[in-house]
Amino acid sequence: MLLLAACVRLVPESRAPTPGVSVPPPIAATSAVMAGIAAGPDVGALPIAPEDARAALASFIESCPRLLRREDKSGLASAADWRGVCEAAASWPSADALRFFRTRFETARVSDGSAFATGYFEPEIMGSRTRRPGIEVPVYGMPGDLVRGWPAETPPAERTGRAPLGRYDENGNHVPYYERAEIEDGALAGRAPVIAWVADPVEFFFLQIQGSGRLRTPEGDVIRIGYAGQNGRGYTGIGGVMRERGLLGDGPGQYPGSMQGIMAYIRENPAEGRELMRMNKSWVFFRELTGDGPLGALGVPVRSHASVAADPAFVPLGAPVWLDLDRDEADGLWIAQDTGGAIKGANRFDTFWGAGAQARRIAGGMSARGTALVLLPKGTLDRLDAAR
């Protein structure tokens, strides 16, 4: 990557502590502006392939209506910054997409630009609209009793922001919602709509992590389902737990640190695998989707090798992102159109690979490091620098 052309200082410079004076711990950055941003290389210096530019332009155009209405949490760009490039994109010829990005955008590095990327895909598993022998795992829609509220023990002075998700118990107290183990044991029977049934609880666990998928019926029909909500419980990545236990690695008896390796362990050790999956108390509820692709958090379809999940506190959803990673297939221009429970912090991304066996293979083994740049409308960095 090229050296930074300039620096836009948006955080105070650090100073040596005064002897004998206690210094509070540094405040963790909660936005791109807090993390610090710096101007990156000219877009024209990036090796963007013409086909990548065309795919990115199509996804950017789909994103623009939401981008212009969405509140920016990163502090990088307002709707006014995006309006001109969105208007230009609407009539820009696809064949000349590369020139669009070269002439309308500048690059910014958030924090030090050191990126980590994983992958996700749209899994396809056996399912049915009706329960039948061998297809008996319920796919729940949103339950009516999942609501936000304040537990009684929360002091009034601390009841700020959004109240946590949960439910009201028989005594009228707001309590945490049912966790994965309780739901698997039948806590939602008769409480939540069942939109479909699936055959394999292990495959369904990983479909929940992906957030969307396809159910293939025995008759060959496809039911596409997408994220509708979550039970409010914290997400636990079982791969991290397995690594701490020494189950993942290259040694004797260890499993590869990929989705495929984790799934192999669960299948070969069903009792331990079930306990491991239940450590992830988060549960995802679904709705049936229509259209030509799964919907991301931005509310538009995500596209293979064009859409990426990011933390909206550090990347405006809808913005183009350039990735240069040690997994070459993930290099290129992406559009931030999605989020994820594990996708938190500056330069943390989850690349989308579509559906099918190849998508499953690439996404399941994706763990890449490198550098990232966020593309912003030209003039944005000057405005930010002038406003500090």
Side-chain angles (χ1 to χ4, degrees):
M1 300 295 292
L2 300 178
L3 294 176
L4 301 182
C7 181
V8 182
R9 293 194 180 276
L10 296 171
V11 294
E13 296 182 12
S14 61
R15 294 178 173 84
T18 302
V21 177
S22 62
V23 179
I27 299 174
T30 57
S31 70
V33 167
M34 284 187 66
I37 59 172
D42 187 272
V43 178
L46 304 178
I48 302 174
E51 60 271 22
D52 279 356
R54 287 193 292 272
L57 176 58
S59 288
F60 180 74
I61 291 171
E62 284 187 305
S63 299
C64 268
R66 303 298 180 98
L67 176 60
L68 292 174
R69 294 197 303 268
R70 189 179 177 88
E71 178 187 359
D72 175 41
K73 299 179 181 179
S74 71
L76 291 177
S78 66
D81 294 314
W82 291 108
R83 188 164 292 110
V85 290
C86 282
E87 290 174 352
S91 58
W92 201 280
S94 174
D96 200 21
L98 190 55
R99 187 170 65 88
F100 170 73
F101 291 103
R102 286 177 172 174
T103 58
R104 305 295 307 212
F105 288 90
E106 59 192 9
T107 69
R109 195 183 305 259
V110 177
S111 186
D112 64 357
S114 297
F116 175 59
T118 48
Y120 71 115
F121 69 109
E122 186 183 19
E124 182 172 293
I125 66 176
M126 179 66 73
S128 171
R129 291 189 185 278
T130 58
R131 186 174 186 174
R132 60 179 82 183
I135 305 179
E136 301 179 85
V137 178
V139 179
Y140 288 112
M142 285 292 288
D145 61 345
L146 175 61
V147 294
R148 294 189 179 274
W150 294 107
E153 63 270 19
T154 304
E158 296 180 10
R159 300 185 181 190
T160 60
R162 298 182 77 190
L165 283 168
R167 63 184 178 87
Y168 287 97
D169 66 12
E170 61 277 7
N171 297 316
N173 297 315
H174 193 267
V175 297
Y177 204 70
Y178 302 107
E179 61 181 72
R180 175 172 297 278
E182 294 172 309
I183 294 174
E184 288 181 347
D185 288 342
L188 292 187
R191 292 175 176 266
V194 178
I195 65 170
W197 303 83
V198 296
D200 188 335
V202 177
E203 291 278 5
F204 184 53
F205 175 85
F206 284 93
L207 188 150
Q208 285 189 302
I209 293 174
Q210 302 301 318
S212 64
R214 303 176 183 185
L215 309 183
R216 175 75 65 175
T217 72
E219 294 76 26
D221 297 327
V222 172
I223 306 165
R224 175 173 269 144
I225 59 174
Y227 180 92
Q230 187 259 2
N231 63 345
R233 298 285 190 151
Y235 173 86
T236 297
I238 63 174
V241 176
M242 290 180 65
R243 196 171 297 280
E244 291 175 0
R245 294 179 178 180
L247 297 170
L248 300 182
D250 300 323
Q254 291 184 313
Y255 292 78
S258 61
M259 184 193 74
Q260 291 85 347
I262 295 171
M263 189 176 287
Y265 169 82
I266 292 171
R267 293 202 184 284
E268 293 172 16
N269 304 272
E272 294 86 349
R274 186 167 185 258
E275 178 270 334
L276 185 69
M277 290 189 293
R278 286 186 165 200
M279 291 184 69
N280 179 19
K281 298 181 180 182
S282 173
W283 183 276
V284 172
F285 302 105
F286 291 95
R287 61 191 177 97
E288 185 171 353
L289 298 179
T290 58
D292 62 349
L295 297 179
L298 197 57
V300 299
V302 291
R303 310 292 186 186
S304 175
H305 207 166
S307 302
V308 67
D311 186 338
F314 295 89
V315 179
L317 288 191
V321 174
W322 170 260
L323 297 181
D324 184 5
L325 306 172
D326 56 12
R327 289 284 298 271
D328 290 345
E329 63 264 55
D331 289 348
L333 193 60
W334 302 78
I335 305 298
Q337 294 178 309
D338 207 358
T339 60
I343 313 304
K344 300 297 182 184
N347 305 307
R348 175 68 172 95
F349 300 100
D350 205 19
T351 53
F352 180 66
W353 296 93
Q358 184 179 24
R360 183 187 182 101
R361 177 183 60 80
I362 295 175
M366 180 57 62
S367 179
R369 296 188 181 275
T371 57
L373 297 167
V374 179
L375 273 63
L376 300 171
K378 278 192 173 181
T380 302
L381 293 178
D382 285 343
R383 179 185 59 75
L384 290 172
D385 195 21
R388 68 183 174 89

